[in-house]
Amino acid sequence: MKTEREVKIRQVEIRDAFWTPMQKKVLDVVIPYQEKVLRDEIPDVEKSHAIENFRIAAGLSKGEFYGMVFQDSDVAKWLEAVACALALRPDPALEERADEIIEIIEKAQQPDGYLNTYFTIKEPEHRWQNLYECHELYCAGHMMEAAAAYAEVTGKEKLLHVMEKMADHVIDRFGLEEGKEHGIPGHQEVEIGLMKLYRATGKEKYKDMARYFLEERGKNPDYFYEEKLKRNWQYWEPYSTERMDVSYNQAHKTVYEQDEAVGHAVRALYMYTAMADLAGTDGDERLFGACRRLWENIVEKKLYITGGLGGNPEREAFAGNYELPNDMAYAETCASIAMVFFAHRMLEACVDGCYADMIERELYNGTISGMQLDGKSYFYVNPLECVPGVSGKAFGYRHALPVRPGWYACACCPPNLVRMITSLGKYCWGENDSTIYSHLMIGQKAELEKAEIIVETAYPWKGETAYIISPKTREAFTLAIHIPYYVDFSKEAAEITVNGERVDAPALMKKGYVYLTRKWQVQDRVEIHFPMEVRKIYANQQVRENAGCVALMRGPVVYCFEETDNGAGLQSLRIPGELKAEANFCREGILKGNVLLEIEGFRMKGDGELYSEKPPVKEKQRLTAIPYYAWANRGENEMRVWVPEE
Amino acid sequence: MKTEREVKIRQVEIRDAFWTPMQKKVLDVVIPYQEKVLRDEIPDVEKSHAIENFRIAAGLSKGEFYGMVFQDSDVAKWLEAVACALALRPDPALEERADEIIEIIEKAQQPDGYLNTYFTIKEPEHRWQNLYECHELYCAGHMMEAAAAYAEVTGKEKLLHVMEKMADHVIDRFGLEEGKEHGIPGHQEVEIGLMKLYRATGKEKYKDMARYFLEERGKNPDYFYEEKLKRNWQYWEPYSTERMDVSYNQAHKTVYEQDEAVGHAVRALYMYTAMADLAGTDGDERLFGACRRLWENIVEKKLYITGGLGGNPEREAFAGNYELPNDMAYAETCASIAMVFFAHRMLEACVDGCYADMIERELYNGTISGMQLDGKSYFYVNPLECVPGVSGKAFGYRHALPVRPGWYACACCPPNLVRMITSLGKYCWGENDSTIYSHLMIGQKAELEKAEIIVETAYPWKGETAYIISPKTREAFTLAIHIPYYVDFSKEAAEITVNGERVDAPALMKKGYVYLTRKWQVQDRVEIHFPMEVRKIYANQQVRENAGCVALMRGPVVYCFEETDNGAGLQSLRIPGELKAEANFCREGILKGNVLLEIEGFRMKGDGELYSEKPPVKEKQRLTAIPYYAWANRGENEMRVWVPEE
């Protein structure tokens, strides 16, 4: 079961009560704001200079390079976001401005294909000497993604040609062949870019190069160390001959030998994404096995319930197995987005509901928690517990801010969110010769090869979804619909009907998908109904931080408790053993439209002593839980996902 | 109720099953080891050079200064420990070596009285320019303490005269008088030293100078900032004109205005100790009120159950109210020792059982946890939860080592423990014209002014203590015995008898002491019996880290659970609501002689999923708890004080 055709953003028009407003917000607020930042038109935020760097490198302007060594990638990410935006809603003025920027990029490219403004402007003699720290391949990877997206949506191939030239330059320089360097990127990403370039151009050499970078990695764990000794300088720190810990960027073992997700989470997940893409594309079982081992380590031992990834804030990294601190979590927005990419590539390689479930977990929780409801401010770090006065301030907690700031010097998460939200359609479907796979229950109109399908749904708030099918073929084909893991068709209330007739859902289920095969007729209607119950979730006993606690979920949505609704001292709340919860739409205020939970719970009250033999008494308290992703939208206040059970 | 006479170490001979072996260990192992370290005779430990620094300053040796700017204080602390040791057990050879060192110190003193090897050897032109960072007054304070102790025990006053000369030099330089600088110490300690010098010499000027330093502090919160701007250099860091946060060393407000324990815990507690000493000595109600406010903040909001102080590892500092992380605790051994000093001075100023209870809490828990049972290795940091692989290793946890190391470059805690353990007798008693106060139930023979008293006790393991009194006067006097706060005489099993006759204990109790007044006869015998039950302790609901958890105490001893006895994953253990605990003496192994607890508890077992709707099941497990102070004596393993309640 492999989906063979990538679905394009253009094929899908999202018409969804949850996602359409979010897409609109991203188009109306975020993309224009980011453009202004890149053009240095916004006062009081960290200067970007990213477009100006390209102008200087192109000889169109005079000046010095300014910004991070990977500043170019901000332009790449924005261009990719623009491509996705244009797929959703034409905007000739925006497209013209993007075209102009692409022309500057083309002029900034060197005659040999090399493209990177930092080295071109500042240290041309040091090109390619510091793969470990200097992100040349990383920036190239993002620009390849932008080029592929821009070509797909607008049909314009200028940037694609620029990046082909750059990719050819990279291929000339690195590889196993005689005379080439055995280089690998310090920050993985070019592998994803090369796979997209391969798909956009059909040229195998780009896929081969992606395979080279993936398979070369970790063969010589001292590669970066030897590179450093050879070059005699460092970018971020004073030069030292100390050996580096290359598990940080997953270069400690070959990808086939790695069986634990370690190091910088985003680097890791970008690598796993490319591995899964290549495994699926080439039908490479061995590589898929490597992906699967890493996947299992993550989902069994290193994943926050919100989909957050990275329990070690120091290096934005995975922590040890079961080390999932709530208040000190890193759980970078970009890591959750990268997990969507990884899960999507796994799903393409092997249709299994566990991957679609992961995309859902990320989409409704740990990714969009990164954005304020108004689209104007962003979290990098998505903790599962917030304590004003400690979070963002105290030792060990400075990274875990209690409210979303407006912008960051290292602006990776906001544009990453933009491209995920605008390209949502891509994650909804898979298709091959026999089957259409519906991965996500999102309201939309989709133009697939075998059918046009309209999806109407109240998901994630209600388990009621209808698929209205207009086939484009008279042949029978299969519609395989992903059923979320928590739905139980052995219960009476859950059912699937086709044109009003109930089908034997359990019998038709395989690995999280219900397979409906027939000669579909125009206006055939599949309905899926299931009760949306509040679920009490227990963490593995090895997770220290969640001992004695439970979290609440309803559908794919993880809930949290905020001080605003429940008073201070959330640790003294108790979820009752016998849970009675009401789920109600919020009718007013910033949370309007979200389903909130009301629970008859308790609050423990002590005698006021710091230490006492007197047990605290239990007082009834009506508790309110809100969707986790919407936390910190009502000012700085306490928040907690895991609450002690009575 | 004020105790007027300080009891001297010499007056008390400890004969106690718990403390005598500990004193012996300190005399036999720790003091000789420390001497070897100071003399640079131990390979593989951080070089000390502390005695050699004095030799160089004295002109007896050539070379460079080596070590911390406060290296001199290591010699001072060792000399004080030697004085205490000599009070316990004569050792002419040791005394001779100490005398020789004192002669070197005398020679290192400058003609104007100044004593500090760092500045004398290295930067004589920079003397007294950097009170904020350079510890000249701190070192002087420790040497004054050593001088007073050495004179008290040996009768030799050479070091006392040296330190009087130094104190006079300090008095000439600092003060409110015309022409003097309004200086205050960067690290408080000289205030304690001056009070001891006052008591050793009877000279009021030293007490006045202690008062000056205490009362000048915080009057000008910019004092250290102005000092920095004037001097134009810094010791620890490159020079900057940035303003410092002087709440770190409690110079942000006057001592009368401070009502929250903030900043570096040891600095704070040394200051509070001197404040309480001065308040008691002068009968200064206003100053005592200031002490009391700080005391209350600590015991109500900032104290670990073990007596640990300092929840903020970054600056060895107090954290916010109720911020008491277990695994990230700092809880420095020295801070707990300083709390013994503070509580003892409070007790002298105002007899109240709460202070004696605090001394007990510290003596049986957070102080001696700093020393391995064999006396050969030490903890600075005393966490209440240890997780191998995380503790001592992961971000946020590097300070909290899982096992005691042999020695430290900054060697403050081991000698501090030595002086506390050797001078234990001082904390046992108070005396004034009418009353003898027994603060602690420790087996001993004490020579007090009004009586010789032999105490026989099985404390802390059993609540059985006898006081055998041999009066030295025919007049009636009162024997006031501190009864630990957890003893309840309204229960039948608890009783006090005098010569076998039960007295009406509740009627005779006042603020934690039972007052027995009579014309005492030779061999009068007071017996105190109370049941020693295992107590389940709940933390204030505002302590996030202990939500849903309980800790166990028996008598003054806090217990903990170790992996060695209970298996890994201590967070999955549960203490039953109805506690049934057996207390048994450990008969073998390293913990022999300690009372261990056996509890019918539970372990929660989940289904192995990282997140599951299936509640974990409760399996019975017999749990073993050991005294907290004895943790980490059986290799690196998990430890936990607070365990979830069923």
Side-chain angles (χ1 to χ4, degrees):
Chain A
M1 287 186 305
K2 193 175 135 183
T3 66
E4 273 145 25
R5 283 173 214 104
E6 256 205 339
V7 171
K8 311 291 185 195
I9 306 176
R10 269 276 166 77
Q11 293 176 248
V12 179
E13 183 191 331
I14 302 291
R15 300 168 173 180
D16 187 89
F18 190 94
W19 289 106
T20 301
M22 206 162 304
Q23 288 194 331
K24 189 170 178 319
K25 187 163 62 190
V26 158
L27 298 186
D28 292 347
V29 177
V30 189
I31 292 180
Y33 182 82
Q34 288 182 358
E35 183 178 355
K36 288 207 182 91
V37 171
L38 294 178
R39 291 185 186 278
D40 304 308
E41 290 170 6
I42 303 213
D44 303 331
V45 304
E46 191 77 27
K47 183 166 85 162
S48 163
H49 208 257
I51 293 174
E52 187 60 17
N53 287 337
F54 276 103
R55 292 182 54 83
I56 295 167
L60 300 171
S61 188
K62 294 235 173 287
E64 296 294 309
F65 177 91
Y66 176 89
M68 303 278 192
V69 72
F70 47 78
Q71 206 77 351
D72 288 1
S73 64
D74 287 354
V75 177
K77 287 172 186 170
W78 181 78
L79 281 172
E80 188 185 354
V82 167
C84 301
L86 294 173
L88 296 188
R89 189 170 79 187
D91 182 338
L94 175 64
E95 188 170 333
E96 202 181 310
R97 294 200 302 281
D99 287 342
E100 283 165 19
I101 291 171
I102 289 168
E103 278 190 32
I104 299 169
I105 294 170
E106 187 186 34
K107 293 207 174 82
Q109 186 166 42
Q110 301 301 292
D112 62 356
Y114 183 81
L115 179 67
N116 182 289
T117 71
Y118 175 84
F119 285 100
T120 298
I121 299 172
K122 216 169 165 179
E123 305 180 34
E125 72 282 13
H126 286 155
R127 269 192 194 188
W128 298 128
Q129 288 183 9
N130 190 343
L131 300 182
Y132 186 62
E133 296 181 302
C134 286
H135 291 73
E136 285 154 295
L137 289 168
Y138 170 85
C139 290
H142 272 299
M143 201 62 90
M144 289 173 197
E145 290 200 80
Y150 205 78
E152 176 189 316
V153 172
T154 65
K156 296 175 183 169
E157 300 203 331
K158 181 170 279 184
L159 190 57
L160 195 65
H161 295 318
V162 168
M163 293 319 296
E164 279 196 74
K165 211 170 145 189
M166 173 62 166
D168 294 341
H169 173 86
V170 168
I171 291 170
D172 280 348
R173 181 161 204 109
F174 301 105
L176 294 176
E177 297 86 348
E178 185 76 31
K180 291 189 181 178
E181 285 174 42
H182 291 196
I184 49 170
H187 190 315
Q188 302 94 313
E189 156 65 28
V190 73
E191 303 86 344
I192 292 177
L194 285 164
M195 287 302 291
K196 289 195 174 173
L197 208 56
Y198 155 68
R199 225 169 261 116
T201 63
K203 294 179 184 168
E204 294 273 339
K205 62 180 173 180
Y206 301 131
K207 177 161 71 68
D208 294 344
M209 196 61 193
R211 181 176 284 277
Y212 159 76
F213 279 130
L214 291 171
E215 297 201 329
E216 182 59 22
R217 195 166 202 87
K219 264 195 201 161
N220 172 14
D222 272 344
Y223 174 77
F224 292 122
Y225 181 55
E226 291 165 5
E227 182 199 57
K228 179 167 79 163
L229 296 180
K230 214 179 331 177
R231 103 173 84 83
N232 242 349
W233 58 274
Q234 271 175 256
Y235 180 78
W236 294 105
E237 283 167 20
Y239 183 69
S240 94
T241 57
E242 222 176 308
R243 203 174 231 99
M244 306 88 100
D245 171 14
V246 292
S247 69
Y248 171 64
N249 66 6
Q250 300 81 36
H252 56 308
K253 292 178 184 178
T254 68
V255 297
Y256 298 108
E257 292 163 321
Q258 296 187 31
D259 54 8
E260 184 179 349
V262 295
H264 188 265
V266 171
R267 281 171 163 84
L269 288 157
Y270 280 3
M271 181 176 87
Y272 307 160
T273 299
M275 284 163 66
D277 190 358
L278 185 60
T281 304
D282 281 359
D284 181 339
E285 291 293 333
R286 183 168 169 242
L287 189 54
F288 186 78
C291 294
R292 185 68 210 176
R293 282 190 293 278
L294 290 160
W295 175 275
E296 282 169 4
N297 175 252
I298 293 173
V299 302
E300 290 170 10
K301 291 168 186 157
K302 299 202 173 185
L303 180 77
Y304 285 97
I305 190 171
T306 55
L309 297 142
N312 176 1
E314 192 177 29
R315 310 188 80 188
E316 311 181 321
F318 286 107
N321 288 333
Y322 302 110
E323 275 302 319
L324 294 162
N326 294 310
D327 49 6
M328 283 174 65
Y330 201 76
E332 187 179 339
T333 306
C334 283
S336 280
I337 294 168
M339 191 68 183
V340 174
F341 302 158
F342 180 28
H344 183 230
R345 294 301 179 195
M346 291 297 276
L347 200 47
E348 286 182 333
C350 169
V351 176
D352 185 326
C354 72
Y355 306 123
D357 287 326
M358 178 64 74
I359 295 177
E360 275 204 0
R361 188 183 292 274
E362 298 294 0
L363 286 182
Y364 292 102
N365 302 290
T367 55
I368 57 172
S369 58
M371 188 165 70
Q372 192 79 354
L373 290 174
D374 64 7
K376 291 180 178 163
S377 51
Y378 307 89
F379 276 138
Y380 258 47
V381 168
N382 296 277
L384 283 76
E385 180 179 358
C386 173
V387 186
V390 173
S391 300
K393 283 193 180 142
F395 168 78
Y397 298 89
R398 295 220 174 90
H399 61 287
L401 304 180
V403 287
R404 295 173 184 82
W407 199 253
Y408 293 83
C410 171
C412 61
C413 294
N416 230 344
L417 263 176
V418 170
R419 67 169 166 163
M420 184 195 80
I421 292 169
T422 49
S423 63
L424 196 57
K426 291 208 303 191
Y427 305 106
C428 293
W429 302 97
E431 192 170 7
N432 62 21
D433 283 345
S434 64
T435 310
I436 293 173
Y437 296 96
S438 161
H439 301 315
L440 299 171
M441 291 182 177
I442 291 178
Q444 62 192 294
K445 186 176 139 200
E447 283 297 342
L448 301 164
E449 217 169 275
K450 284 181 282 300
E452 179 199 276
I453 301 182
I454 289 171
V455 184
E456 296 172 352
T457 186
Y459 207 72
W461 307 124
K462 291 183 189 171
E464 288 170 18
T465 305
Y467 290 76
I468 300 126
I469 297 114
S470 301
K472 298 176 180 175
T473 170
R474 294 185 179 186
E475 304 295 309
F477 65 87
T478 303
L479 174 62
I481 300 172
H482 170 239
I483 304 297
Y485 66 100
Y486 52 83
V487 176
D488 180 0
F489 281 117
S490 71
K491 287 189 185 156
E492 181 60 28
E495 62 166 21
I496 299 175
T497 63
V498 179
N499 298 327
E501 272 179 53
R502 188 167 178 144
V503 300
D504 182 1
L508 299 170
M509 288 287 294
K510 204 161 67 182
K511 285 195 175 176
Y513 283 72
V514 60
Y515 286 79
L516 303 168
T517 306
R518 59 169 63 205
K519 288 191 178 168
W520 296 91
Q521 307 298 319
V522 173
Q523 294 297 309
D524 271 354
R525 186 176 179 96
V526 177
E527 289 191 15
I528 299 170
H529 300 275
F530 52 85
M532 209 53 128
E533 280 156 10
V534 178
R535 304 185 327 274
K536 204 155 57 166
I537 310 295
Y538 298 85
N540 189 296
Q541 292 301 311
Q542 296 193 64
V543 181
R544 277 194 305 136
E545 295 261 344
N546 299 342
C549 291
V550 292
L552 300 183
M553 289 186 76
R554 184 172 177 277
V557 178
V558 174
Y559 280 77
C560 71
F561 295 83
E562 281 200 305
E563 181 183 349
T564 302
D565 304 303
N566 303 289
L570 298 177
Q571 69 279 352
S572 65
L573 303 183
R574 294 291 178 275
I575 305 291
E578 284 289 317
L579 183 67
K580 276 182 205 146
E582 279 176 33
N584 298 309
F585 274 102
C586 178
R587 305 257 168 235
E588 55 192 10
I590 186 99
L591 299 180
K592 188 175 168 181
N594 283 276
V595 168
L596 311 189
L597 308 183
E598 300 280 323
I599 300 147
E600 289 300 336
F602 303 97
R603 179 181 282 273
M604 305 306 286
K605 294 222 167 150
D607 60 4
E609 299 288 318
L610 186 51
Y611 301 111
S612 172
E613 285 184 54
K614 212 172 144 189
V617 295
K618 217 164 68 177
E619 290 187 359
K620 280 195 181 173
Q621 184 179 325
R622 200 167 166 85
L623 309 179
T624 301
I626 69 165
Y628 168 75
Y629 82 86
W631 83 278
N633 269 283
R634 295 172 296 173
E636 183 168 335
N637 78 147
E638 281 182 41
M639 181 277 290
R640 205 173 160 114
V641 170
W642 292 95
V643 171
E645 197 181 16
E646 182 197 7
Chain B
M1 288 188 305
K2 194 178 131 181
T3 65
E4 272 144 27
R5 284 174 214 104
E6 257 205 339
V7 172
K8 311 293 186 195
I9 305 175
R10 268 275 165 78
Q11 293 176 248
V12 179
E13 183 191 330
I14 302 291
R15 300 169 174 180
D16 187 271
F18 190 94
W19 289 106
T20 302
M22 208 162 301
Q23 288 193 332
K24 189 170 177 322
K25 186 164 63 192
V26 159
L27 298 185
D28 293 347
V29 177
V30 188
I31 293 180
Y33 182 82
Q34 288 181 0
E35 183 178 354
K36 288 207 182 91
V37 171
L38 295 177
R39 292 186 186 276
D40 304 309
E41 290 169 7
I42 304 214
D44 303 330
V45 303
E46 192 76 30
K47 182 164 84 162
S48 164
H49 208 258
I51 292 174
E52 187 61 14
N53 287 337
F54 276 103
R55 293 182 54 85
I56 295 167
L60 301 171
S61 188
K62 295 235 172 286
E64 295 295 310
F65 176 91
Y66 176 89
M68 301 278 191
V69 72
F70 46 79
Q71 205 78 350
D72 288 1
S73 64
D74 287 354
V75 177
K77 287 174 187 168
W78 181 77
L79 281 172
E80 188 185 355
V82 167
C84 301
L86 294 174
L88 295 187
R89 188 170 78 186
D91 183 339
L94 175 63
E95 188 169 333
E96 202 182 309
R97 294 199 304 279
D99 287 342
E100 284 166 17
I101 291 171
I102 289 168
E103 277 191 35
I104 299 168
I105 294 171
E106 188 187 33
K107 292 207 176 83
Q109 186 166 42
Q110 301 301 292
D112 61 356
Y114 183 82
L115 179 67
N116 182 290
T117 70
Y118 175 83
F119 284 100
T120 299
I121 299 172
K122 214 169 166 179
E123 306 181 32
E125 72 283 12
H126 286 154
R127 270 193 195 186
W128 298 128
Q129 287 183 9
N130 190 344
L131 300 182
Y132 185 61
E133 296 179 303
C134 286
H135 291 72
E136 286 152 295
L137 289 167
Y138 171 85
C139 290
H142 272 299
M143 200 61 90
M144 290 173 198
E145 290 200 80
Y150 205 76
E152 176 189 314
V153 172
T154 65
K156 295 175 185 168
E157 299 201 332
K158 181 170 277 183
L159 189 58
L160 194 66
H161 295 318
V162 167
M163 293 320 294
E164 278 196 72
K165 212 171 147 191
M166 173 61 166
D168 294 342
H169 172 86
V170 169
I171 292 170
D172 280 348
R173 181 161 202 108
F174 301 106
L176 294 175
E177 296 86 349
E178 186 75 32
K180 292 187 179 178
E181 284 175 42
H182 292 195
I184 49 170
H187 190 316
Q188 303 94 310
E189 157 64 29
V190 74
E191 303 86 344
I192 292 177
L194 286 163
M195 287 302 290
K196 290 196 172 173
L197 207 55
Y198 156 68
R199 225 169 260 115
T201 63
K203 293 178 184 167
E204 293 274 338
K205 61 180 174 181
Y206 301 132
K207 176 160 72 67
D208 294 344
M209 196 60 194
R211 181 175 286 275
Y212 159 77
F213 280 131
L214 291 171
E215 296 200 330
E216 182 60 22
R217 194 166 203 89
K219 264 196 199 159
N220 172 13
D222 273 344
Y223 173 77
F224 291 122
Y225 181 55
E226 291 164 6
E227 183 200 56
K228 180 167 80 164
L229 296 180
K230 214 178 333 177
R231 104 173 84 84
N232 242 350
W233 58 273
Q234 271 174 255
Y235 180 79
W236 294 106
E237 282 166 21
Y239 183 70
S240 95
T241 57
E242 221 176 308
R243 204 172 232 98
M244 307 90 99
D245 172 13
V246 292
S247 68
Y248 171 64
N249 65 5
Q250 301 81 35
H252 57 307
K253 292 179 185 178
T254 69
V255 297
Y256 298 108
E257 293 163 319
Q258 296 186 31
D259 54 9
E260 183 178 349
V262 295
H264 188 265
V266 171
R267 281 171 162 84
L269 288 157
Y270 281 1
M271 182 176 86
Y272 307 160
T273 299
M275 285 165 64
D277 190 358
L278 185 61
T281 304
D282 282 358
D284 181 338
E285 290 293 334
R286 184 167 168 243
L287 190 54
F288 186 78
C291 295
R292 186 67 210 175
R293 282 190 292 279
L294 290 161
W295 175 275
E296 282 169 3
N297 175 250
I298 292 173
V299 301
E300 290 170 8
K301 291 167 186 155
K302 298 200 174 185
L303 180 77
Y304 285 98
I305 191 171
T306 55
L309 296 143
N312 176 0
E314 191 176 29
R315 310 188 81 189
E316 309 182 321
F318 287 107
N321 288 333
Y322 303 110
E323 274 303 319
L324 294 162
N326 293 311
D327 49 6
M328 282 174 65
Y330 201 75
E332 186 179 339
T333 306
C334 283
S336 281
I337 294 168
M339 191 67 182
V340 173
F341 303 157
F342 179 27
H344 183 229
R345 294 301 179 194
M346 291 297 276
L347 200 47
E348 285 181 334
C350 169
V351 176
D352 185 325
C354 73
Y355 306 123
D357 287 326
M358 179 64 73
I359 296 176
E360 275 204 0
R361 188 183 292 273
E362 297 294 1
L363 287 182
Y364 292 102
N365 302 291
T367 56
I368 57 172
S369 58
M371 189 165 71
Q372 192 80 353
L373 291 174
D374 64 8
K376 291 182 179 162
S377 52
Y378 306 89
F379 276 138
Y380 259 46
V381 168
N382 297 277
L384 282 78
E385 181 179 357
C386 172
V387 186
V390 173
S391 301
K393 284 193 181 143
F395 168 76
Y397 298 89
R398 296 217 175 92
H399 62 288
L401 305 181
V403 288
R404 295 172 184 83
W407 199 253
Y408 291 85
C410 172
C412 61
C413 296
N416 231 344
L417 263 176
V418 171
R419 65 169 168 163
M420 185 196 81
I421 291 169
T422 49
S423 63
L424 196 57
K426 292 208 302 188
Y427 305 106
C428 292
W429 301 98
E431 193 171 8
N432 63 20
D433 283 345
S434 64
T435 309
I436 294 173
Y437 296 97
S438 161
H439 300 316
L440 299 172
M441 291 181 178
I442 290 178
Q444 61 192 294
K445 186 175 136 198
E447 283 296 342
L448 301 163
E449 216 170 275
K450 286 182 280 300
E452 180 200 275
I453 302 182
I454 289 172
V455 185
E456 296 172 354
T457 186
Y459 207 73
W461 307 126
K462 290 184 188 171
E464 288 170 19
T465 305
Y467 290 76
I468 301 126
I469 297 117
S470 300
K472 298 176 180 175
T473 169
R474 292 184 181 188
E475 304 294 309
F477 65 86
T478 302
L479 174 62
I481 300 172
H482 171 239
I483 304 297
Y485 67 100
Y486 54 84
V487 176
D488 181 359
F489 283 117
S490 71
K491 287 189 185 156
E492 182 61 27
E495 63 165 18
I496 299 175
T497 63
V498 179
N499 298 328
E501 272 179 52
R502 187 166 179 146
V503 300
D504 182 1
L508 298 170
M509 288 287 294
K510 205 161 66 183
K511 284 194 176 176
Y513 283 73
V514 60
Y515 285 79
L516 303 168
T517 306
R518 60 167 65 204
K519 288 192 180 171
W520 296 93
Q521 308 296 321
V522 172
Q523 293 296 311
D524 271 355
R525 186 177 178 94
V526 178
E527 290 192 13
I528 300 170
H529 300 275
F530 51 85
M532 210 54 131
E533 280 157 7
V534 178
R535 305 187 323 278
K536 203 154 62 168
I537 310 295
Y538 298 85
N540 190 297
Q541 291 301 310
Q542 296 192 63
V543 182
R544 276 194 305 137
E545 295 260 344
N546 299 341
C549 290
V550 292
L552 300 182
M553 289 186 75
R554 184 172 176 277
V557 179
V558 175
Y559 280 77
C560 71
F561 294 84
E562 283 200 303
E563 181 182 349
T564 303
D565 304 304
N566 302 290
L570 298 177
Q571 68 280 350
S572 65
L573 304 183
R574 292 292 178 274
I575 304 290
E578 285 290 317
L579 183 67
K580 275 182 208 147
E582 279 176 34
N584 298 309
F585 274 104
C586 178
R587 306 258 168 235
E588 55 191 10
I590 187 100
L591 300 180
K592 188 175 169 182
N594 283 275
V595 168
L596 311 189
L597 308 184
E598 300 279 323
I599 300 147
E600 289 300 337
F602 302 98
R603 180 182 281 272
M604 305 306 286
K605 294 222 168 150
D607 60 4
E609 299 288 319
L610 185 52
Y611 301 111
S612 172
E613 284 184 56
K614 210 170 146 193
V617 296
K618 217 164 66 175
E619 290 187 0
K620 279 194 182 174
Q621 184 180 327
R622 201 167 165 84
L623 310 178
T624 301
I626 69 164
Y628 168 74
Y629 83 87
W631 82 278
N633 270 283
R634 295 171 296 173
E636 183 168 335
N637 79 146
E638 281 182 43
M639 182 275 293
R640 205 173 161 115
V641 170
W642 292 95
V643 171
E645 198 182 15
E646 184 197 5

